[in-house]
Amino acid sequence: MAGATSRATSARTILLRPGADLTGFRDAARRLAAENVPPEAVTFSAESAPSLFGDDAPPGSDAPLVLPRAVTSLIPSVVPHRDPERYGLLYALIWRVLHGERHLMEVASDPLVHRLTRMAKAIGRDLHKMHAFLRFRRVEDPAGERYVAWFEPDHHILEAAAPFFVRRFAGMRWTILTPEGRAVWDGDTLAYGPPGSRADVPEGDGFEAGWQTYYETTFNPARVNPKAMRAEMPKKYWRNMPETAAIPALLRGAADRTAQMIEREPTLPARREPARAVAAMADQDPKSLDELNAIIRKTEPLVPGATQAVLGEGPLDATIAFVGEQPGDQEDLKGRPFVGPAGQLLARAMAEAGIDREASYLTNAVKHFKFTLRGKRRIHEKPTAGEVSHYRWWLDRELEFVAPKLVVALGATAVLALTGKAIPITRSRGPFRFDRLDNRFQGYITVHPSYLLRLPDEAKEEAYAAFITDLKRIATLGAELAT
């Protein structure tokens, strides 16, 4: 027993990867906590090393640390900080939380919490500066067009910042160079490599010249405040931003341009004809389902991350239209509705109930996949009422073009989209008229097939039989309405 205690409290040096080694720190913290090693017995060193604990790696636990959400969200926001004490401070926080101070993060006046919070805010500011002030320049390589940018962050934020540019410029091939490393996006994969230099980036391109011209013409001399400009856009970033070359001249001429604006006679805005404006707006509405789908394809998802919009599928003269919640993982990848596990269950149930899937129209209330990333898995996340409302216009127009005799709402989200109200499925299951659509469509409310997949095995058989009963009633009602 004495030997075990001595080993737990002996001094440890933890060697981590230079920069922001989030994975290495998490693994080290998990092992140290499992062995009950106090913070004062640990030294973290960000140097190249053959292994995490040196040659004599102690046995450790792979069990995850159970920490409050505030702590788990703080750790990745502090690890990129340049302060060499960051890992030791984070482990001290973890130690205290695991040893009786579960609500430590709520004590803002605690010196440790205060310091780590300030470090997280510094990382947030550095990320904001990189997102706002990084400028790409166009180059040609053997594979074609590529964009290159140079940036000098204050902290080790390259790996934390790069996914933002993947989402924003997914269709471009680009490279971001920093003094510590590089991020490379080839259109499919994000990779990291060795550092670069400012000399690796061209001085300018045609787009940059156009951007500088635009900046000069939109510069408002009446709102010049050099102090505020430097506070928001520090001078250290100026040499990498094309528009800043014009700032000194614009500042020198601001007084004269302001005086000219004051002396210039005010002009009344051109009179517009409301009737013509309304007619022009109406003319922009899609005239067919194909035109509507083209608009949906081009529109960015409300919640970033989706691979593509998933459109409705089926004939325009379909008697029955099925409306689900949103695409799932498989639907997002394949670009087709109801092809994942829930869709396969629906297809089987429709066949048993005598409904021809190929003759039916299938769509979703929300057109993009919303998910939470857990490791490499994309876990479905329920859309909010605001997101459902955002997509509602598309669904209304889609159903107008398809003009089914019967609209089936699969689950509560579909009911919300079709009625504008949160109506419990258990209370409204069965025939229903969707008043939001001016009673144009007779409706039917039932559960979503994904609900059946989530049930325990002992309850699935009864729930599936009830679902088949609903589909048989839907088939009968559809046939009656068709005649």
Side-chain angles (χ1 to χ4, degrees):
M1 182 66 70
T5 305
S6 174
R7 181 176 183 178
T9 57
S10 61
R12 283 292 166 79
T13 297
I14 308 300
L15 301 179
L16 299 177
R17 175 172 59 86
D21 191 356
L22 179 60
T23 301
F25 172 72
R26 283 174 170 164
D27 188 42
R30 184 167 54 247
R31 289 172 176 267
L32 292 167
E35 297 179 31
N36 206 32
V37 180
E40 59 269 19
V42 183
T43 300
F44 289 91
S45 178
E47 300 175 358
S48 298
S51 66
L52 186 64
F53 287 86
D55 294 332
D56 184 23
S61 171
D62 290 329
L65 290 177
V66 181
L67 299 169
R69 184 185 296 270
V71 177
T72 58
S73 62
L74 179 71
I75 291 172
S77 299
V78 172
V79 165
H81 202 280
R82 198 171 289 277
D83 191 329
E85 297 182 7
R86 62 192 183 280
Y87 295 119
L89 295 172
L90 284 171
Y91 184 60
L93 176 71
I94 292 171
W95 176 268
R96 290 175 60 182
V97 168
L98 294 177
H99 288 77
E101 299 183 68
R102 193 73 183 169
H103 303 286
L104 179 59
M105 285 298 297
E106 297 175 13
V107 186
S109 60
D110 182 272
L112 177 61
V113 173
H114 178 68
R115 183 174 177 184
L116 288 172
T117 302
R118 289 186 62 187
M119 293 167 71
K121 288 181 179 179
I123 295 301
R125 288 192 297 270
D126 207 23
L127 286 169
H128 169 72
K129 300 300 183 187
M130 188 168 182
H131 293 164
F133 300 146
L134 184 139
R135 296 289 185 267
F136 284 107
R137 292 176 170 88
R138 182 179 178 275
V139 297
E140 289 286 340
D141 63 18
E145 186 179 71
R146 172 175 286 279
Y147 291 84
V148 184
W150 168 255
F151 194 79
E152 300 172 58
D154 291 332
H155 302 281
H156 312 294
I157 63 167
L158 179 61
E159 293 184 19
F164 167 84
F165 296 100
V166 171
R167 293 191 298 270
R168 189 161 187 180
F169 304 110
M172 292 167 40
R173 294 190 311 122
W174 50 257
T175 300
I176 298 174
L177 303 174
T178 75
E180 294 184 350
R182 70 182 62 198
V184 181
W185 171 252
D186 63 4
D188 294 309
T189 305
L190 178 63
Y192 299 96
S197 70
R198 178 66 181 82
D200 297 331
V201 180
E203 289 300 321
D205 57 17
F207 176 80
E208 187 170 289
W211 166 248
Q212 183 167 336
T213 301
Y214 169 79
Y215 184 82
E216 292 173 2
T217 55
T218 57
F219 185 83
N220 188 345
R223 295 185 177 179
V224 169
N225 186 336
K227 184 176 180 180
M229 290 173 63
R230 285 191 294 269
E232 178 60 27
M233 187 168 63
K235 269 200 166 184
K236 64 170 286 187
Y237 302 109
W238 285 26
R239 65 178 179 272
N240 299 320
M241 301 173 64
E243 64 268 31
T244 55
I247 289 179
L250 292 171
L251 292 177
R252 287 194 298 271
D256 291 339
R257 288 182 62 189
T258 303
Q260 293 171 12
M261 290 170 62
I262 294 172
E263 293 174 2
R264 195 177 299 133
E265 276 191 32
T267 56
L268 293 174
R271 186 174 180 181
R272 300 187 62 185
E273 294 291 339
R276 290 178 61 187
V278 171
M281 290 173 62
D283 191 53
Q284 294 173 2
D285 280 351
K287 303 299 188 298
S288 67
L289 184 60
D290 287 340
E291 289 186 18
L292 175 67
N293 286 339
I295 293 173
I296 297 174
R297 284 193 192 96
K298 293 178 182 178
T299 304
E300 290 293 320
L302 182 61
V303 179
T307 304
Q308 59 190 313
V310 178
L311 308 174
E313 196 171 84
L316 282 178
D317 59 349
T319 298
I320 305 173
F322 290 84
V323 179
E325 179 191 83
Q326 69 167 0
D329 180 75
Q330 292 300 309
E331 288 81 2
D332 174 71
L333 295 175
K334 297 178 181 179
R336 296 185 57 201
F338 292 95
V339 294
Q344 294 167 17
L345 180 62
L346 176 63
R348 177 160 65 92
M350 290 172 68
E352 289 184 32
I355 299 175
D356 184 357
R357 175 176 172 141
E358 298 301 318
S360 304
Y361 189 84
L362 284 78
T363 190
N364 283 295
V366 173
K367 306 304 182 187
H368 294 98
F369 178 37
K370 179 183 177 183
F371 61 89
T372 299
L373 199 60
R374 293 182 187 170
K376 294 184 178 180
R377 294 183 61 205
R378 303 193 301 173
I379 306 300
H380 165 276
E381 188 174 340
K382 185 179 179 67
T384 65
E387 290 158 3
V388 173
S389 177
H390 172 82
Y391 288 92
R392 184 175 292 146
W393 181 85
W394 286 350
L395 178 63
D396 288 351
R397 295 307 308 274
E398 182 180 17
L399 293 177
E400 285 179 15
F401 287 126
V402 177
K405 300 296 187 297
L406 178 65
V407 176
V408 180
L410 299 171
T413 298
V415 174
L416 176 63
L418 291 166
T419 65
K421 304 173 184 177
I423 301 175
I425 300 297
T426 53
R427 195 180 72 195
S428 57
R429 189 168 183 171
F432 194 93
R433 295 190 72 86
F434 298 120
D435 295 335
R436 258 200 76 257
L437 299 173
D438 301 324
N439 289 334
R440 177 174 302 198
F441 301 113
Q442 175 65 42
Y444 196 101
I445 294 175
T446 185
V447 297
H448 195 283
S450 62
Y451 161 77
L452 303 176
L453 295 176
R454 295 193 299 268
L455 290 174
D457 292 340
E458 59 271 17
K460 280 183 179 178
E461 185 176 349
E462 182 180 351
Y464 182 73
F467 187 54
I468 294 294
T469 300
D470 278 342
L471 291 180
K472 288 180 177 179
R473 294 180 66 191
I474 289 167
T476 300
L477 184 56
E480 292 174 355
L481 292 171
T483 57

